């Protein structure tokens, strides 16, 4: 290989890749923490260096040219290789000290993980934890997180996953709401009940109706995108909502709404990039979480 002929600038290539994936210079600049003019100059310099046009400018957006489409897969592979180098190097240099970023749902982050993290920190004080509480999926391959707790099995072959004990959720309402509007002894009794919905509420209604409840959209007059807000509204008596049974049953201000409805069971997966095997601190936290989740009392 002629090493002297290789003058490819990775910063320019990275600017091109992120711009292609984000769809505009402004979005790519935000993602990289650069100014838009700086990013634009890097992309233009790469085009000049290669002697090809990589983007067609259409209004405020950008679309890849044929040359850009041909190049982007190669640059993406370079990005993944660079990420592997970073993950391996940081794992070797930091040993069992340093930050591990965990992403989990809002409910798991608020009600399940704090005690687990407290015990982890007591046993391994060199480990620092950044907890990203979100119901959105984070991209482990781009290091948006080191470890993820998900309710669906990942399909990406670059990820490793460990199936944890399943969880169950049920319908809950405040005891004052049930005293006023209950009891709900049959599905038809719920026809006038108020439910707390979610921002994307159609799948939630379809799921509940698939369980035989026959609910109407008008019964979801209050909605929120945040599950913790959803739960607080339930606790304060605004209507019926859904929560993990291990959380709802432990709260004295609420009670299960119905006894005749089967619980909502779902899988739980602990996920990390395959490079977890080269990072002692990420491996330690991954194995710790497996032990903690498996030690929980069975969900009922």
């Amino acid at each position: 290989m002629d090493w002297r002929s290789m003058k490819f600038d990775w910063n320019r290539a990275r600017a091109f890749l992120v711009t292609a994936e984000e769809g505009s210079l402004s979005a790519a600049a935000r993602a990289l923490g650069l100014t838009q003019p700086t990013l634009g100059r890097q992309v233009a310099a790469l085009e000049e260096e290669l002697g090809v046009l990589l983007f067609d400018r259409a209004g405020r957006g950008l679309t890849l040219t044929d040359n850009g489409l041909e190049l982007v897969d190669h640059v993406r592979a370079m990005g993944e290789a660079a990420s592997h180098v970073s993950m391996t190097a940081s794992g070797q240099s930091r040993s069992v000290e340093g930050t591990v970023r965990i992403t989990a749902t809002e409910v798991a982050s608020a009600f399940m993980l704090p005690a687990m993290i407290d015990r982890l920190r007591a046993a391994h004080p060199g480990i620092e934890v950044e907890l990203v509480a979100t119901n959105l999926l984070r991209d482990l391959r781009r290091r948006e997180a080191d470890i993820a707790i998900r309710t669906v099995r990942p399909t990406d072959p670059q990820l490793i996953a460990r199936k944890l004990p399943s969880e169950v959720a049920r319908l809950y309402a405040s005891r004052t709401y049930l005293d006023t509007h209950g009891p709900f002894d049959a599905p038809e009794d719920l026809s006038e009940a108020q439910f707390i919905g979610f921002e994307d509420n159609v799948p939630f209604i379809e799921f509940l109706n698939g369980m035989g409840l026959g609910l109407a959209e008008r019964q979801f007059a209050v909605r929120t995108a945040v599950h913790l807000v959803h739960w607080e509204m339930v606790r304060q008596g605004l209507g019926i909502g859904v929560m993990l049974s291990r959380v709802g049953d432990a709260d004295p201000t609420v009670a299960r709404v119905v006894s005749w409805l089967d619980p909502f069971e779902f899988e739980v997966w602990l996920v990390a990039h395959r490079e977890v095997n080269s990072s002692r601190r990420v491996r330690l936290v991954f194995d710790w979480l497996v032990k903690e989740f498996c030690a929980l009392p069975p969900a009922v």
Side-chain angles (χ1 to χ4, degrees), residues 52-88:
V52 295
L53 187 66
L54 299 175
F55 293 104
D56 286 323
R57 278 71 175 175
R60 295 185 179 181
L62 298 173
T63 58
L64 287 167
T65 63
D66 289 342
N67 287 322
L69 286 170
E70 186 174 354
L71 183 64
V72 71
D73 286 338
H74 299 295
V75 178
R76 186 175 290 113
M78 292 175 60
E80 292 176 355
S83 178
H84 293 166
V85 170
S86 175
M87 294 170 76
T88 302

Side-chain angles (χ1 to χ4, degrees), residues 258-272:
V258 294
S259 59
W260 43 263
L261 185 66
D262 290 336
F264 315 139
E265 185 173 352
F266 56 91
E267 295 181 343
V268 181
W269 292 86
L270 193 65
V271 187

Side-chain angles (χ1 to χ4, degrees), residues 19-234:
T19 301
E21 294 191 341
E22 296 292 334
S24 70
L25 289 172
S26 58
R30 288 193 298 271
L32 290 174
L34 301 174
T35 65
Q36 184 172 335
T38 297
L39 186 74
R41 286 193 293 270
Q42 290 181 348
V43 173
L46 180 63
E47 289 180 320
E48 182 176 355
E49 178 182 358
L50 299 177
V52 295
L53 187 66
L54 299 175
F55 293 104
D56 286 323
R57 278 71 175 175
R60 295 185 179 181
L62 298 173
T63 58
L64 287 167
T65 63
D66 289 342
N67 287 322
L69 286 170
E70 186 174 354
L71 183 64
V72 71
D73 286 338
H74 299 295
V75 178
R76 186 175 290 113
M78 292 175 60
E80 292 176 355
S83 178
H84 293 166
V85 170
S86 175
M87 294 170 76
T88 302
S90 63
Q92 291 172 345
S93 65
R94 295 183 184 181
S95 186
V96 290
E97 298 182 352
T99 300
V100 176
R101 198 172 196 222
I102 303 170
T103 181
T105 64
E106 296 161 359
V107 170
S109 297
F111 295 108
M112 301 176 70
L113 287 176
M116 298 179 184
I117 293 172
D118 186 41
R119 289 188 287 269
L120 168 68
R121 293 272 301 121
H124 303 280
I127 296 291
E128 299 178 0
V129 176
E130 181 179 348
L131 182 55
V132 183
T134 177
N135 294 331
L136 301 175
L137 295 183
R138 293 282 176 163
D139 192 338
L140 298 182
R141 295 185 67 176
R142 295 192 189 178
R143 295 303 300 273
E144 293 180 347
D146 298 303
I147 297 171
I149 300 169
R150 295 178 175 172
T151 56
V152 292
R153 182 172 187 171
T155 57
D156 190 330
Q158 293 301 315
L159 302 179
I160 63 171
R162 172 70 183 267
K163 190 176 187 299
L164 302 175
S166 296
E167 286 290 332
V168 298
R170 295 179 182 273
L171 295 179
Y172 290 90
S174 71
R175 294 185 182 277
T176 55
Y177 183 89
L178 292 173
D179 289 341
T180 304
H181 301 280
F184 302 106
D185 296 325
E188 54 269 21
D189 294 336
L190 291 169
S191 62
E192 298 301 322
Q194 286 298 304
F195 285 74
I196 310 300
F198 293 96
E199 183 179 41
D200 185 11
N201 206 43
V202 173
F204 185 42
I205 297 176
E206 291 177 347
F207 172 77
L208 293 176
N209 287 342
M211 300 290 289
L213 298 190
L215 304 177
E217 188 174 353
R218 60 178 173 76
Q219 294 178 253
F220 295 79
V222 178
R223 297 177 294 276
T224 177
V226 181
H227 201 160
L228 295 183
V229 175
H230 171 102
W231 181 236
E232 187 59 29
M233 289 179 176
V234 172

